[in-house]
Amino acid sequence: MTGKLYGIGVGPGDPELLTLKAMRLILTCDAVAVPGEPKEETAAYQIVQQAVPEVADKECLALDMPMTKDPEQLEKGHREAFAILKEALDQGKDVAFLTLGDPCIYSTYIYMHRMAIEAGYQTEIISGIPSFCAVSARLNEGLAEKSQMLHIIPSTYGVEDGLQLPGTHILMKAGKKLHKVKEHLQKEISKGRKLQIAMIENCGMPEQCIYQSLEEMPEQAGYYTTVIVKEQSE
């Protein structure tokens, strides 16, 4: 009998935000998988290790998941990563794939999930707290009210079009493109739009940095950077 693949969201960084269900499955699965190697340097594993120390005794599959937009490199990397998962699943092992935030939102896990389904394996997604919800909570503010729209925008693919939409904008993974993000935001402000802007880098992690305005934001930040842009009513 083959094993089952679980995509487990471990939340944005604070180990206390790991769900009870996630903790239970991490403990009961035969092996864990992490996107990167060595395992100790992956953010998802570091978070889990604080909340579930027993994970150190588990077999760990360190998967090299390429951070690239090149479709050929991505496909090759995903095939090689899934081959490692497949070997464990074929041995009857249940595998907990640890991923930051929620597995359904810009997650590396979802590629493995689709490949597992296509290959006929059982799969299950375990929700985690998304980074933008944790960022909003850390800023002590809500994201949207009443009829306000909420837009989630991947900053690495450009934000200019998304910023034209009304409401609150979540700019995900803005780090390396932060200077461009700032240019687009300044352009919108120069048009007369009233925008409330805040940013958190590494939310819930020891290296967390909070910026309460566009002026405070640096030109570049780490990968785990989320910017919240709220349009203010007149």
Side-chain angles (χ1 to χ4, degrees), residues 126-148:
I126 309 302
S127 295
I129 294 176
S131 61
F132 54 86
C133 290
V135 166
S136 184
R138 190 58 60 97
L139 293 170
N140 209 29
E141 293 187 5
L143 280 174
E145 301 173 35
K146 297 180 180 177
S147 62
Q148 290 177 331

Side-chain angles (χ1 to χ4, degrees), residues 55-119:
V55 74
D57 301 323
K58 296 274 185 182
E59 176 185 0
C60 185
L61 311 175
L63 310 178
D64 184 16
M65 307 289 283
M67 301 292 290
T68 177
K69 294 179 183 178
D70 185 297
E72 291 185 2
Q73 289 187 39
L74 278 174
E75 185 181 355
K76 180 176 181 293
H78 292 160
R79 282 200 314 268
E80 292 175 351
F82 183 68
I84 296 173
L85 289 177
K86 185 178 185 300
E87 183 177 358
L89 294 170
D90 285 342
Q91 292 172 2
K93 297 175 182 178
D94 290 338
V95 180
F97 188 111
L98 311 180
T99 185
L100 278 174
D102 184 279
C104 299
I105 304 173
Y106 302 124
S107 168
T108 52
Y109 164 73
I110 211 66
Y111 302 105
M112 301 297 98
H113 181 80
R114 290 176 184 149
M115 294 175 81
I117 289 176
E118 290 174 2

Side-chain angles (χ1 to χ4, degrees), residues 1-225:
M1 185 175 179
T2 59
K4 183 174 180 178
L5 178 62
Y6 294 88
I8 297 182
V10 303
D14 184 345
E16 291 186 339
L17 295 181
L18 194 67
T19 68
L20 293 174
K21 187 168 186 178
M23 293 174 69
R24 175 177 62 81
L25 287 169
I26 290 167
L27 285 169
T28 58
C29 278
D30 303 293
V32 297
V34 294
E37 53 182 346
K39 64 182 182 182
E40 292 82 6
E41 294 183 9
T42 65
Y45 188 86
Q46 291 171 359
I47 293 165
V48 169
Q49 196 169 32
Q50 294 175 71
V52 189
E54 297 89 341
V55 74
D57 301 323
K58 296 274 185 182
E59 176 185 0
C60 185
L61 311 175
L63 310 178
D64 184 16
M65 307 289 283
M67 301 292 290
T68 177
K69 294 179 183 178
D70 185 297
E72 291 185 2
Q73 289 187 39
L74 278 174
E75 185 181 355
K76 180 176 181 293
H78 292 160
R79 282 200 314 268
E80 292 175 351
F82 183 68
I84 296 173
L85 289 177
K86 185 178 185 300
E87 183 177 358
L89 294 170
D90 285 342
Q91 292 172 2
K93 297 175 182 178
D94 290 338
V95 180
F97 188 111
L98 311 180
T99 185
L100 278 174
D102 184 279
C104 299
I105 304 173
Y106 302 124
S107 168
T108 52
Y109 164 73
I110 211 66
Y111 302 105
M112 301 297 98
H113 181 80
R114 290 176 184 149
M115 294 175 81
I117 289 176
E118 290 174 2
Y121 296 98
Q122 293 186 71
T123 61
E124 185 175 344
I125 294 175
I126 309 302
S127 295
I129 294 176
S131 61
F132 54 86
C133 290
V135 166
S136 184
R138 190 58 60 97
L139 293 170
N140 209 29
E141 293 187 5
L143 280 174
E145 301 173 35
K146 297 180 180 177
S147 62
Q148 290 177 331
M149 296 181 182
L150 181 63
H151 311 285
I152 303 172
I153 304 166
S155 298
T156 53
Y157 288 88
V159 299
E160 192 168 10
D161 291 340
L163 287 174
Q164 306 311 308
L165 301 169
T168 299
H169 306 79
I170 309 297
L171 309 183
M172 301 281 290
K173 302 178 180 180
K176 291 184 179 180
K177 298 287 185 179
L178 198 54
H179 64 291
K180 286 293 184 182
V181 169
K182 290 181 67 176
E183 287 178 10
H184 289 310
L185 290 172
Q186 189 58 59
K187 184 177 179 181
E188 294 304 312
I189 291 172
S190 67
K191 294 177 183 177
R193 293 179 70 183
K194 295 183 178 180
L195 303 177
Q196 177 184 329
I197 301 168
M199 171 186 128
I200 297 187
E201 179 183 8
N202 300 319
C203 183
M205 300 179 188
E207 311 84 11
Q208 174 182 281
C209 292
I210 300 177
Y211 305 91
Q212 297 283 2
S213 68
L214 182 63
E215 291 71 27
E216 289 183 14
M217 287 163 52
E219 293 300 307
Q220 188 169 323
Y223 181 71
Y224 304 118
T225 296

